[in-house]
Amino acid sequence: RRQPADVHSVAHRLNILLGNVGNTVFYTDEPAGRYAVDCGDLATLVEGMQDGSVGTLLILGGNPVYDAPSDLGFADALEKVDQSIHLSIYDNETSQQCQWHLPQTHPLEAWGDCPAYDGTICVSQPLIAPLLDGRSAIEVLGMLIGETADGQAIVRRALDSVAGGSLADEAWRRLLHDGALADSSLKFITPDLLDWDASADADSASGGELELVFCSSDTVYD
């Protein structure tokens, strides 16, 4: 993931030339807007927090006081927000600096849905009731907009829209049994191979030089 687009381009080209596409490597053409999220960047948010234009800030999960880029000054900006609320499983650095900490449900306590690698829509259901009366992110957002705060109802309504209509009770029970919505996967495609000047990339490569790469630790980063 840390490699630049040029490196990814070379890897995709090699997979096509080696005949891997359709055998061990699969591509899908995602529908426009299916996973699109329209939101501003973190730097813009911090500017709004600093100048007072952000009066109330709701943070859903994460720990930006700890892991936001240090040059943004997120922690200092958070102190200038009139009302700050943090939904989190842990009472972490962000929770301690916010005025309110809301207990978030563990994934094993919450309803949810997500796409699989091939686009298949999957549903997750809780194994136990929330032990500490927590709420999931979708339930908190449901309460804020005045809609239902029932996680199951929210997920079912989302799956209704994906299925193109209201799911019958039998179809909903089948979905919960199988864990995935039938026939919801994206179609596999074979991308076109464009003309490519390999010498241009070779000329720009820094042959023989060492490259130092800093990687985030999965253990202590967040």
Side-chain angles (χ1 to χ4, degrees):
R1 291 178 293 178
R2 65 179 181 267
Q3 296 297 341
D6 289 344
V7 174
H8 285 276
S9 177
V10 173
H12 291 311
R13 182 177 179 84
L14 287 174
N15 277 317
I16 294 176
L17 295 176
L18 293 172
N20 296 333
V21 178
N23 294 309
T24 58
V25 177
F26 300 91
Y27 294 96
T28 59
D29 188 11
E30 297 180 355
R34 181 166 182 177
Y35 307 120
V37 177
D38 184 15
C39 60
D41 59 83
L42 187 59
T44 303
L45 172 62
V46 172
E47 290 178 3
M49 296 161 60
Q50 291 280 13
D51 62 25
S53 59
V54 176
T56 300
L57 180 64
L58 172 62
I59 305 173
L60 301 176
N63 189 6
V65 168
Y66 173 73
D67 56 24
S70 58
D71 59 337
L72 292 182
F74 185 91
D76 294 335
L78 185 59
E79 296 180 353
K80 300 181 179 180
V81 177
D82 293 335
Q83 184 169 247
S84 54
I85 308 165
H86 188 211
L87 175 71
S88 176
I89 297 178
Y90 306 104
D91 183 15
N92 53 34
E93 290 85 351
T94 302
S95 302
Q96 294 168 10
Q97 189 165 330
C98 286
Q99 295 173 338
W100 289 89
H101 167 74
L102 306 181
Q104 184 177 14
T105 52
H106 186 275
L108 298 182
E109 302 171 326
W111 286 90
D113 56 9
C114 64
Y117 80 97
D118 64 349
T120 298
I121 301 299
C122 305
V123 60
S124 59
Q125 48 189 312
L127 300 180
I128 58 174
L131 296 176
L132 301 176
D133 197 28
R135 296 291 187 272
S136 66
I138 60 174
E139 290 172 331
V140 171
L141 292 176
M143 289 187 288
L144 287 177
I145 64 176
E147 297 289 341
T148 177
D150 182 352
Q152 180 177 182
I154 295 173
V155 171
R156 180 166 182 174
R157 186 166 60 185
L159 270 293
D160 285 343
S161 63
V162 173
S166 179
L167 287 172
D169 290 341
E170 181 179 355
W172 173 248
R173 290 194 297 270
R174 170 57 61 181
L175 171 59
L176 296 182
H177 174 273
D178 296 342
L181 183 64
D183 302 322
S184 62
S185 62
L186 299 171
K187 293 182 178 180
F188 291 130
I189 62 171
T190 301
D192 295 328
L193 189 59
L194 303 179
D195 292 334
W196 178 54
D197 184 4
S199 62
D201 288 335
D203 293 339
S204 63
S206 54
E209 296 183 5
L210 293 177
E211 177 181 328
L212 180 62
V213 180
F214 293 92
C215 304
S216 300
S217 168
D218 292 331
T219 305
V220 298
Y221 172 63
D222 189 356

